[in-house]
Amino acid sequence: MGLTKQYLRYVASAVFGLIGSQKGNIVFVTLRGEKGRYVAVPACEHVFIWDLRKGEKILILQGLKQEVTCLCPSPDGLHLAVGYEDGSVRIFSLLSGEGNVTFNGHKAAVTSLKYDQLGGRLASGSKDTDVIVWDVISECGLYRLKGHKDAITQALFLREKNLLVSSGKDTMVKWWDLDTQHCFKTMVGHRTEVWGLVLVSEEKRLITGASDSELRAWDIAFLQEIEDLEEPEAKKIKGSSPGTQDTHRAEVEPLETDETPEDRILTCRKAGSVMREGRDRVVSLAVDRTGRILACHGTDSVLEVFCILSKEEIQKKMDKKMKKARKKARLNTCQGEEEGLEVTVEMTLQDEIQRLTNIKTSAKIKSFDLIHTPHGEVKAVFLLQNNTVELYSLSPSAPTPQPVRTSRITLGGHRSDVRTLSFSSDNIAVLSAAADSVKIWNRSTLQCIRTMTCEYALCSFFVPGDRQVVIGTKTGKLQLYDLASGSLLETLDAHDGALWSMSLSPDQRGFVTGGADKSVKFWDFELVKDENSTQKRLSVKQTRTLQLDEDVLCVSYSPNQKLLAVSLLDCTVKIFYVDTLKFFLSLYGHKLPVICMDISYDGALIATGSADRNVKIWGLDFGDCHKSLFAHDDSVMYLKFVPKSHLFFTAGKDRKIKQWDADRFEHVQTLEGHHQEVWCLAVSPNGDYVVSSSHDKSLRLWERTREPLILEEEREMQREAEYEESVAKEDQPAVPGEVQGENYFTGKKTIETVKAAERIMEAVELYREETAKMREHKAICKAAGKEVPLPTNPILLAYGSISPSAYVLEIFKGIKSSELEESLLVLPFSYVPDILRLCTEFMQLGSDVELLCRCLFFLLRIHFGQITSNQMLVPVIEKLKETTISKVREVRDVIGFNMAGLDYLKRECEAKSEVMFFAEATSQLEEKKRKRKKREKLILTLT
């Protein structure tokens, strides 16, 4: 066997240049006991925790491959639930930064996450139209709620009742009874998609936002309040005149006119609408934890803030209204008729929901979050479309509340997509340029060390010496910057159209530019006298011009500076002699224009990448095409050789970066990580680092390791990854009694559940073999009349010489709680009888009763017909019935005893310290405050 060529693997090193990605939502998180200081933002597949006060990134929650789509902090502030593009949900600990719990149940991206009041349950909504309720404590799914016909936009738990309300793009708002897991009410009062909903006024009112400019308000009344709800919704107050009209419509439109069975739990009647200033759809709608401040925004840069008044404030407002109405009525009537005067004032929705102010941000709002500070201020944090986080504070109690911007995070990234990247000659500094700025990054710390404003940049390079940089812009200008001072030294008009490409000459004395004005221009560096200083400064001067028939897209020098390659809009690459500018070769074969190209270090090969998705490798001696490679699934955007080798990297619009061998014409490896089109990349002079930029606003650093890469192993890994993807896409296993395609279990089949099922099968088979061996061993000992040593299985020996049955239990314990049911679902029935017999054995011992009950009840549920028809399993089930009931009763008694003991200890502590614990203390304190205020009012009236 011959020696194979050895390659070194490149791996992802870091993600930088990104403040927050657009798909997910921004949320406040509590760290180190501080509220309102830290925010969590989605950052591609990661979650960044930013300190708003310092503007620093303090924690990164490492994700997998999929992009983050939704965030939700737990009520206790210790955990953060993260939803992903593939439908999985991970729960991270904010103390350790680790994600220990993963829920797999959705088939599409997670669009909504919400905890219940105690944080024990989590509701997730998805684009697959399902809502799944997860038990966070036992790490398993509770139930799947199916009913919506389009993507879920929001799902909320009610605090007092065991109900859940969800909205979707199917224009429906559905109410779910979580005791019976069915939808008992569907609100059909919307004509367009419902994009958000919130519960306010102690959960007596629901506010929904749709694709129009209205916020609809619905009054909710539960069973005990039905009689009150049957009275007219508009409250009449004596002593006012009718007819105050405003943008708030107060007409009452009952949702259902006839009494229906669904009204037995609650009724929902329209209370009116609040008109927004924006005319576009509601993007997100939120309320702070106090339920007092309501805010919403559309697709623009304005957040509209409303205040929900308390009953006392509403009463004061109505009293003022009544006085005005009496005064008006007194003026309009005769003096004699005044005694019998009766006027009424109608309470509109405007009297309950008052517009506070608008917050105008610097760019379009993608998501926001609200928090109420102890000082009475409201803080609003925004994730903007231009890769920025902004924090505003607002005082609702002020007569005219004015929002004040208190913090802004912009330094860590560009406002738009990075279009050009360059490495300095010492491999330390990285240049990135976008439509508005040039940034210099330290590669080792990933910190931005210089930011300079520029025009729309398309190409760039470091001037030899790494003290200046040159930028080529979309308007055809050359901009020369000094890095020490961060100032613009000079701007030259180089081309009439866009300056698409630049190439530094190998002798480092000049460079060449190509633009849309069908010309190639040659430039030399020179030192000129600085007007503001006695020293000379660097400048550039044009020396020659090569006029061509088509727009120039890319230029590249050969390493010996004898040849110049020019890519034209006519899909060809022309090679010219540098000294005489005479034509040498024409490379034709691409079907679409060549966007990028590069020449190898020895000048032997030129590789060209085109919009036709192909990369062609040519010889520079005769211009022959050595090989044409189908490189990407979309346009090839950038191509660069690794220094001192014939390996090169390509970047494509298909979100991938690929490495190729130009000698063997083989695909070496694929660097996956970007979630949008990859625009450009740069390879460090020593070849150890690659940096890439993408439409997802992120810059990614890839590092060459010392790990050898064998192509056969790489292909095998690709095949395994494809198999794992195909397993996840396969149909879910059929369950008796279910309709094909309708899955009511919360889990979904993944490669992890398949592997867990295989481990259970292997454990049961080992148990069968070892049991058979033990029977044989007993027979041999009996025949021999003496004890014969029994050989121990090495697997059981590794677990500490445990019994085969105990090994099966250990395997069950090792399966993740969230994957247990799905693993049992794919288990063949032939293994079930053995598992039931083992459950009987373990139940009698009283070990892991809760886990065994979960397995037992689930197996009985899905294999009920086969188990009941099998006569051999009847005694096993009878035995299980006796032992399970008694053991569960014992566990219940232990838990009850412990709870009673904790209650006793709580009372003892309260008696000793005379301090009330938990919620009772605060409620009693508030009651005392109310009584004291009443007494003060009485004293004032008496005096």
Side-chain angles (χ1 to χ4, degrees):
M1 180 180 173
L3 288 171
T4 58
K5 186 171 180 180
Q6 197 177 67
Y7 305 97
L8 294 177
R9 187 183 297 280
Y10 283 82
V11 295
S13 175
V15 178
F16 65 105
L18 179 66
I19 293 169
S21 51
Q22 311 299 313
K23 278 196 176 179
N25 60 307
I26 188 169
V27 291
F28 277 107
V29 292
T30 304
L31 277 182
R32 300 160 190 167
E34 289 192 58
K35 290 184 179 179
R37 179 174 174 178
Y38 304 101
V39 289
V41 293
C44 293
E45 68 271 23
H46 306 309
V47 177
F48 291 166
I49 310 293
W50 290 93
D51 184 342
L52 292 172
R53 197 176 297 169
K54 294 181 179 178
E56 295 176 357
K57 192 192 306 175
I58 61 162
L59 184 63
I60 299 175
L61 305 180
Q62 297 281 349
L64 303 173
K65 288 184 179 179
Q66 298 296 328
E67 197 169 5
V68 175
T69 57
C70 193
L71 300 177
C72 180
S74 62
D76 59 6
L78 298 176
H79 297 92
L80 182 71
V82 182
Y84 291 90
E85 185 77 17
D86 63 346
S88 62
V89 177
R90 292 184 77 192
I91 296 176
F92 287 89
S93 167
L94 290 173
L95 299 175
S96 63
E98 294 177 359
N100 299 322
V101 183
T102 304
F103 297 129
N104 284 303
H106 293 292
K107 296 178 184 176
V110 177
T111 54
S112 169
L113 285 173
K114 196 63 72 174
Y115 279 95
D116 66 356
Q117 189 184 8
L118 297 173
R121 291 179 299 176
L122 177 70
S124 62
S126 167
K127 284 184 179 177
D128 64 3
T129 75
D130 293 349
V131 177
I132 300 180
V133 180
W134 307 93
D135 187 337
V136 178
I137 297 162
S138 64
E139 300 178 11
C140 65
L142 294 175
Y143 25 81
R144 184 187 295 264
L145 307 174
K146 299 175 77 74
H148 282 282
K149 302 297 180 189
D150 208 337
I152 308 296
T153 54
Q154 187 64 276
L156 299 172
F157 286 99
L158 270 72
R159 291 183 184 177
E160 305 298 329
K161 311 282 182 180
N162 194 23
L163 304 176
L164 183 135
V165 58
S166 63
S167 62
K169 288 168 76 173
D170 57 357
T171 76
M172 305 294 183
V173 174
K174 289 182 177 287
W175 292 84
W176 306 85
D177 185 352
L178 298 183
D179 292 325
T180 57
Q181 297 106 50
H182 82 286
C183 173
F184 66 88
K185 190 177 192 67
T186 301
M187 294 166 58
V188 292
H190 303 88
R191 294 181 181 177
T192 55
E193 297 98 332
V194 183
W195 290 100
L197 54 85
V198 291
L199 289 161
V200 296
S201 304
E202 297 175 354
E203 298 187 341
K204 298 292 175 62
R205 176 161 287 163
L206 178 74
I207 295 175
T208 58
S211 293
D212 50 21
S213 56
E214 292 183 31
L215 293 180
R216 293 172 177 81
W218 312 84
D219 282 334
I220 303 164
F222 297 100
L223 181 62
Q224 60 269 26
E225 299 162 5
I226 294 292
E227 293 177 4
D228 299 336
L229 202 82
E230 285 173 358
E231 297 175 11
E233 282 288 320
K235 299 169 187 169
K236 304 289 182 179
I237 299 175
K238 287 189 177 182
S240 76
S241 65
T244 32
Q245 305 223 347
D246 200 67
T247 55
H248 297 259
R249 299 206 302 255
E251 66 270 14
V252 180
E253 299 174 13
L255 189 63
E256 285 95 7
T257 53
D258 300 323
E259 186 75 17
T260 56
E262 60 191 32
D263 288 334
R264 291 171 190 166
I265 298 176
L266 60 82
T267 58
C268 213
R269 298 178 186 275
K270 190 172 181 184
S273 296
V274 179
M275 300 301 293
R276 294 168 47 236
E277 289 182 0
R279 291 288 174 263
D280 49 358
R281 74 172 180 89
V282 173
V283 173
S284 59
L285 179 69
V287 69
D288 69 337
R289 288 201 175 180
T290 62
R292 184 171 170 79
I293 303 298
L294 172 73
C296 68
H297 73 90
T299 55
D300 53 6
S301 59
V302 176
L303 181 80
E304 298 180 46
V305 185
F306 300 89
C307 181
I308 297 159
L309 302 179
S310 63
K311 289 179 182 178
E312 291 81 7
E313 289 169 327
I314 294 168
Q315 190 59 46
K316 282 181 185 177
K317 204 168 185 180
M318 295 312 297
D319 289 344
K320 284 182 184 178
K321 231 178 179 182
M322 187 168 57
K323 284 179 184 177
K324 283 183 183 178
R326 280 177 179 167
K327 191 176 180 181
K328 190 176 180 181
R330 214 177 280 127
L331 292 170
N332 293 339
T333 54
C334 301
Q335 197 70 25
E337 298 173 7
E338 191 180 342
E339 292 177 3
L341 181 68
E342 278 194 17
V343 287
T344 57
V345 164
E346 220 175 275
M347 187 171 75
T348 62
L349 198 62
Q350 184 197 12
D351 299 319
E352 301 178 52
I353 301 175
Q354 178 182 334
R355 183 183 294 275
L356 272 185
T357 186
N358 288 348
I359 299 176
K360 181 87 167 74
T361 58
S362 61
K364 285 185 179 179
I365 302 169
K366 279 297 175 184
S367 65
F368 77 100
D369 195 20
L370 298 172
I371 194 167
H372 212 91
T373 63
H375 307 294
E377 283 189 340
V378 173
K379 286 186 177 180
V381 68
F382 299 91
L383 176 61
L384 305 182
Q385 192 180 29
N386 65 349
N387 197 26
T388 305
V389 170
E390 289 185 349
L391 177 70
Y392 288 80
S393 63
L394 180 72
S395 180
S397 56
T400 55
Q402 290 296 326
V404 179
R405 191 172 76 191
T406 56
S407 178
R408 191 165 186 242
I409 300 174
T410 57
L411 186 64
H414 288 275
R415 308 284 72 77
S416 56
D417 293 0
V418 172
R419 289 290 180 166
T420 175
L421 291 164
S422 296
F423 263 102
S424 62
S425 59
D426 57 3
N427 310 291
I428 291 175
V430 178
L431 178 149
S432 65
D436 57 349
S437 63
V438 181
K439 286 182 182 286
I440 309 296
W441 307 84
N442 185 316
R443 179 194 49 76
S444 56
T445 63
L446 302 177
Q447 296 297 313
C448 178
I449 52 179
R450 280 285 181 277
T451 300
M452 301 162 285
T453 57
C454 70
E455 294 186 22
Y456 199 117
L458 294 176
C459 49
S460 64
F461 65 85
F462 279 88
V463 175
D466 298 334
R467 294 186 179 183
Q468 294 88 13
V469 292
V470 178
I471 304 293
T473 71
K474 201 173 184 179
T475 54
K477 293 179 181 176
L478 278 174
Q479 293 186 310
L480 182 63
Y481 290 89
D482 180 56
L483 294 184
S485 61
S487 60
L488 176 64
L489 294 177
E490 192 175 1
T491 301
L492 295 170
D493 291 322
H495 293 269
D496 291 337
L499 200 161
W500 290 115
S501 178
M502 294 191 298
S503 178
L504 183 66
S505 62
D507 62 4
Q508 299 189 343
R509 293 182 179 180
F511 60 97
V512 63
T513 61
D517 59 354
K518 304 179 183 179
S519 65
V520 175
K521 295 185 179 182
F522 294 81
W523 308 79
D524 281 349
F525 296 115
E526 64 174 355
L527 291 172
V528 297
K529 190 175 180 182
D530 192 356
E531 297 173 359
N532 303 323
S533 173
T534 56
Q535 295 180 344
K536 291 185 177 182
R537 67 168 178 81
L538 187 75
S539 181
V540 293
K541 67 174 181 179
Q542 185 185 341
T543 55
R544 293 184 294 171
T545 302
L546 173 63
Q547 200 65 37
L548 297 163
D549 298 330
E550 295 286 343
D551 289 11
V552 177
L553 299 179
C554 191
V555 291
S556 182
Y557 270 116
S558 65
N560 58 10
Q561 207 170 331
K562 287 184 178 179
L563 301 174
L564 176 70
V566 181
S567 161
L568 302 176
L569 199 61
D570 62 0
C571 309
T572 63
V573 176
K574 301 266 194 298
I575 312 293
F576 296 91
Y577 290 106
V578 173
D579 49 0
T580 61
L581 298 184
K582 284 186 177 179
F583 173 76
F584 173 49
L585 290 171
S586 178
L587 311 178
Y588 57 90
H590 283 290
K591 295 175 183 176
L592 289 171
V594 174
I595 299 172
C596 52
M597 62 182 177
D598 197 20
I599 298 174
S600 63
Y601 75 103
D602 54 3
L605 301 173
I606 178 171
T608 57
S610 166
D612 63 7
R613 303 179 288 179
N614 290 308
V615 167
K616 291 183 186 291
I617 299 164
W618 317 76
L620 261 184
D621 43 5
F622 301 109
D624 56 326
C625 181
H626 291 183
K627 189 72 174 176
S628 181
L629 303 167
F630 183 76
H632 291 270
D633 296 329
D634 209 332
S635 302
V636 182
M637 297 305 296
Y638 214 83
L639 187 150
K640 200 73 178 172
F641 271 98
V642 177
K644 298 179 182 177
S645 76
H646 280 182
L647 302 175
F648 64 92
F649 283 97
T650 58
K653 277 189 176 181
D654 61 354
R655 311 176 183 185
K656 294 176 183 175
I657 298 166
K658 295 185 178 181
Q659 188 184 22
W660 306 84
D661 187 343
D663 291 331
R664 296 170 176 264
F665 316 124
E666 284 186 314
H667 172 214
V668 179
Q669 73 172 123
T670 302
L671 305 178
E672 293 186 18
H674 284 293
H675 299 281
Q676 298 289 338
E677 300 95 328
V678 183
W679 295 129
C680 60
L681 58 85
V683 182
S684 64
N686 60 7
D688 284 343
Y689 301 97
V690 176
V691 65
S692 58
S693 75
S694 166
H695 185 49
D696 60 14
K697 301 281 197 304
S698 71
L699 300 175
R700 287 176 186 265
L701 183 68
W702 314 85
E703 188 175 354
R704 183 164 62 186
T705 62
R706 301 298 105 189
E707 178 192 350
L709 185 147
I710 291 100
L711 291 180
E712 289 76 13
E713 289 183 3
E714 193 71 12
R715 303 293 175 266
E716 185 63 33
M717 287 167 64
Q718 286 178 2
R719 283 192 290 270
E720 284 180 11
E722 287 171 7
Y723 168 70
E724 289 181 8
E725 284 181 15
S726 66
V727 165
K729 289 177 183 176
E730 284 177 10
D731 292 334
Q732 297 296 314
V735 180
E738 277 193 0
V739 182
Q740 182 66 27
E742 293 289 328
N743 178 23
Y744 290 91
F745 290 113
T746 55
K748 85 173 175 185
K749 186 179 177 183
T750 61
I751 193 67
E752 285 81 12
T753 60
V754 172
K755 287 178 179 176
E758 287 173 356
R759 289 202 302 273
I760 294 171
M761 289 156 62
E762 287 170 4
V764 173
E765 283 171 2
L766 185 141
Y767 165 73
R768 288 173 181 169
E769 290 171 8
E770 290 299 311
T771 310
K773 281 181 185 176
M774 283 179 182
R775 283 198 296 266
E776 288 175 11
H777 178 257
K778 282 181 183 177
I780 291 167
C781 290
K782 193 175 181 181
K786 62 177 182 179
E787 193 67 31
V788 178
L790 175 69
T792 310
N793 191 300
I795 297 174
L796 300 178
L797 198 62
Y799 275 82
S801 299
I802 58 174
S803 65
S805 56
Y807 172 69
V808 177
L809 183 60
E810 288 296 321
I811 293 297
F812 272 106
K813 285 182 187 176
I815 298 170
K816 284 185 181 177
S817 182
S818 56
E819 296 170 358
L820 182 62
E821 278 85 0
E822 201 62 34
S823 303
L824 292 170
L825 192 59
V826 297
L827 202 67
F829 181 73
S830 57
Y831 294 90
V832 172
D834 290 305
I835 293 173
L836 291 177
R837 291 188 185 96
L838 286 167
C839 281
T840 311
E841 182 183 328
F842 297 135
M843 278 288 185
Q844 288 172 341
L845 296 171
S847 56
D848 297 286
V849 175
E850 188 181 348
L851 174 67
L852 292 170
C853 284
R854 271 185 71 187
C855 298
L856 176 62
F857 298 153
F858 188 80
L859 289 172
L860 288 171
R861 184 178 169 190
I862 60 173
H863 297 297
F864 180 77
Q866 286 173 291
I867 290 171
T868 51
S869 60
N870 191 333
Q871 293 297 320
M872 293 177 68
L873 288 176
V874 172
V876 178
I877 297 296
E878 287 292 335
K879 189 82 174 181
L880 270 171
K881 181 183 172 184
E882 295 171 13
T883 53
T884 305
I885 292 170
S886 62
K887 292 297 175 182
V888 168
R889 191 178 286 120
E890 284 177 20
V891 172
R892 188 185 63 189
D893 292 343
V894 168
I895 292 169
F897 181 83
N898 290 342
M899 286 177 68
L902 288 170
D903 282 338
Y904 173 75
L905 289 172
K906 174 187 160 186
R907 288 194 299 273
E908 285 288 308
C909 291
E910 285 173 358
K912 283 180 183 177
S913 56
E914 296 181 354
V915 174
M916 298 297 286
F917 278 175
F918 309 123
E920 298 105 19
T922 54
S923 61
Q924 289 186 12
L925 186 66
E926 286 170 4
E927 189 66 32
K928 283 178 182 177
K929 280 183 181 178
R930 281 197 292 271
K931 286 178 180 177
R932 189 167 64 246
K933 281 182 182 177
K934 281 184 182 179
R935 283 200 300 272
E936 286 172 1
K937 283 182 183 177
L938 284 169
I939 291 164
L940 286 168
T941 51
L942 287 168
T943 53

